[in-house]
Amino acid sequence: MKEFELKYGCNPNQKPAKIYMNDGSELPIKILSGRPGFINFLDAFNSWQLVKELKAALGMPAVTSFKHVSPTSAAVGIPLSADLKKACFVDDIEGLDDSPLACAYARARGTDRMCSFGDWVALSDVCDVTTAKMIKREVSDGVIAPGYEPEALEILKQKRKGNYNIVEIDPDYVPEVQERKQVFGITFEQGRNNFEINRELLSDIVTKTKDLPDSAVRDLIIALITLKYTQSNSVCYAVDGQAIGVGAGQQSRIHCTRLAGSKADTWFLRQHEKVLNLPFRADLGRPERDNVIDGYINQNEEDVCADGNWQKYFTEQPAPLTDAEKRAFLDTRQNVALGSDAFFPFSDNIERAYKSGVKYIAEPGGSIRDDAVIECCDKYGMTMAFTHMRLFHH
């Protein structure tokens, strides 16, 4: 297949639209089901790069959940605790622990379930049956992988009445060194960002504390590779082999840090005993439960515990999760890693990161206020490495 005609571009009024190789060669993909759109393919190709790079860097199966050309999370295949399985709605999955790819999917899709609603999924490895069963029951636009087990493919083809977008990509495909895009009829050209993110990137530790265990290296690499494919400005929190909070596309870095931190806090608090034991009505669907959990934790648009509200969601009125309980629980969360796609210009970012249990930081450095940022890290006993590599993505 040398080109694929799309229904429309980013919006329905943008026609005609298609994807093709500039040199006239075959596309490196097969469309096994559905008809992916313009934004679907943007998500597919960016997400595939992320998981391929994570697999190469850490040697573990990797999965990411993408939405509007930024990852909601990315994770590698580490088994989940019982509480985390329950928080991610996968405690009923038989054989989950036997599939590292399925564990990576459970983590990536379970991190920010509200933002992952209607996501695009990328798998670093051939999709197995366990992973396919989990994807099938979630609201999702499509999946890209280097292959699919026959039974897994049949499971996925049942999704969306047979119209679920399933893309297979050639894992050996290597793009041209130069990449181009047009804006306002003007062609932009640049060298692809082929910079390799690995442990050596974390060797310039600038804080008094130099401790950087292997688990922190893993999590910082996950954060940085996630940032490489996140719309800038961006900040990413990671722990236990997964990105737990991504702040993307903000004009101010502190807003990235706050946004990502609030998502990380919500991820942690989904594992609070009160949240895990909410008495949901049996007829409440998974997406509705996600919305209610977010409201219960963050007390947003409505008080889900109030009279007249709780009856819509629960079999009995739950006790609220108080601010004091949330703070006490979050204070037990430690050893979180934080990556930034450009330098922190002020120490307020470090102050906010500390509230979400951050102990390890990787950022390019180069700000005129680096000394103040380092001093703030030292105040909290954090380890910070300067990568000297900016990771803007637009």
Side-chain angles (χ1 to χ4, degrees):
M1 181 174 63
K2 291 191 175 182
E3 69 174 51
F4 181 75
E5 184 178 352
L6 306 173
K7 189 175 181 180
Y8 51 78
C10 280
N11 300 290
N13 64 296
Q14 293 178 270
K15 302 177 182 178
K18 62 182 178 180
I19 61 169
Y20 60 95
M21 303 300 289
N22 197 51
D23 62 2
S25 61
E26 295 283 324
L27 285 163
I29 58 168
K30 296 177 183 177
I31 299 169
L32 305 182
S33 178
R35 187 183 178 187
F38 193 98
I39 296 174
N40 290 149
F41 278 119
L42 290 177
D43 282 340
F45 298 144
N46 278 285
S47 62
W48 165 248
Q49 292 177 81
L50 194 162
V51 296
K52 183 178 182 181
E53 191 164 336
L54 266 184
K55 174 73 180 288
L58 297 175
M60 304 173 71
V63 175
T64 186
S65 169
F66 250 64
K67 190 79 172 287
H68 292 295
V69 206
S70 279
T72 69
S73 179
V76 292
I78 298 173
L80 289 72
S81 68
D83 282 351
L84 187 54
K85 286 178 181 178
K86 191 172 183 180
C88 293
F89 293 172
V90 295
D91 52 325
D92 61 334
I93 298 295
E94 294 184 10
L96 177 58
D97 293 343
D98 299 326
S99 169
L101 186 69
C103 288
Y105 175 76
R107 287 178 176 276
R109 188 57 170 76
T111 297
D112 189 349
R113 289 186 54 83
M114 290 187 68
C115 286
S116 287
F117 184 86
D119 65 343
W120 187 278
V121 179
L123 313 175
S124 66
D125 291 36
V126 172
C127 182
D128 59 23
V129 170
T130 305
T131 305
K133 286 180 177 178
M134 289 196 293
I135 295 173
K136 182 177 183 291
R137 67 183 190 176
E138 300 291 357
V139 179
S140 172
D141 274 1
V143 59
I144 187 169
Y148 300 83
E149 292 180 359
E151 185 180 349
L153 181 58
E154 291 307 309
I155 291 170
L156 292 172
K157 282 185 174 181
Q158 297 169 21
K159 192 171 173 64
R160 280 192 172 184
K161 299 180 180 179
N163 293 313
Y164 186 60
N165 295 315
I166 306 172
V167 178
E168 180 178 320
I169 187 164
D170 178 1
D172 297 322
Y173 166 66
V174 178
E176 293 182 10
V177 174
Q178 293 295 109
E179 59 184 13
R180 304 167 190 84
K181 71 175 180 179
Q182 284 194 336
V183 177
F184 197 50
I186 298 165
T187 299
F188 288 66
E189 180 173 331
Q190 65 176 356
R192 280 183 47 76
N193 187 2
N194 289 323
F195 183 80
E196 182 179 343
I197 294 172
N198 53 35
R199 186 177 188 124
E200 288 194 8
L201 193 63
L202 306 173
S203 59
D204 185 14
I205 298 177
V206 295
T207 48
K208 292 178 181 177
T209 302
K210 308 294 182 183
D211 180 48
L212 196 62
D214 289 343
S215 59
V217 171
R218 175 201 62 205
D219 294 339
L220 287 172
I221 288 173
I222 289 171
L224 293 172
I225 292 177
T226 299
L227 291 171
K228 189 177 176 183
Y229 299 100
T230 302
Q231 300 299 295
S232 297
N233 284 331
S234 55
V235 164
C236 179
Y237 293 66
V239 73
D240 197 24
Q242 69 183 88
I244 60 170
V246 179
Q250 303 301 303
Q251 292 81 9
S252 165
R253 191 151 303 274
I254 184 59
H255 287 115
C256 294
T257 307
R258 290 172 184 163
L259 176 59
S262 68
K263 291 183 177 185
D265 291 349
T266 298
W267 178 82
F268 280 130
L269 290 168
R270 281 183 71 108
Q271 300 165 70
H272 191 285
E273 182 180 10
K274 278 191 170 182
V275 179
L276 293 176
N277 293 300
L278 284 170
F280 285 112
R281 287 173 39 170
D283 61 345
L284 203 68
R286 296 160 68 85
E288 289 79 12
R289 294 187 184 205
D290 287 323
N291 290 338
V292 173
I293 288 172
D294 187 72
Y296 180 75
I297 292 172
N298 296 309
Q299 301 169 351
N300 296 322
E301 288 72 27
E302 68 172 351
D303 181 356
V304 298
C305 298
D307 287 331
N309 283 337
W310 72 262
Q311 293 91 338
K312 297 182 290 185
Y313 311 120
F314 306 114
T315 56
E316 59 183 78
Q317 188 173 21
L321 184 62
T322 67
D323 289 342
E325 288 173 322
K326 286 189 281 189
R327 188 66 261 163
F329 186 82
L330 291 173
D331 284 344
T332 67
R333 308 296 100 172
Q334 302 294 327
N335 301 322
V336 177
L338 175 68
S340 177
D341 68 351
F343 61 68
F344 285 126
F346 298 98
S347 61
D348 53 0
N349 293 276
I350 309 304
E351 297 285 355
R352 175 60 189 87
Y354 177 73
K355 292 181 179 180
S356 295
V358 169
K359 188 173 182 180
Y360 309 103
I361 297 176
E363 57 122 318
S367 167
I368 60 173
R369 299 180 184 86
D370 277 347
D371 289 347
V373 173
I374 294 169
E375 182 180 357
C376 193
C377 288
D378 287 338
K379 179 174 70 172
Y380 294 119
M382 296 177 178
T383 301
M384 182 167 67
F386 279 176
T387 66
H388 307 286
M389 175 54 63
R390 196 176 75 171
L391 294 170
F392 275 7
H393 181 65
H394 292 287

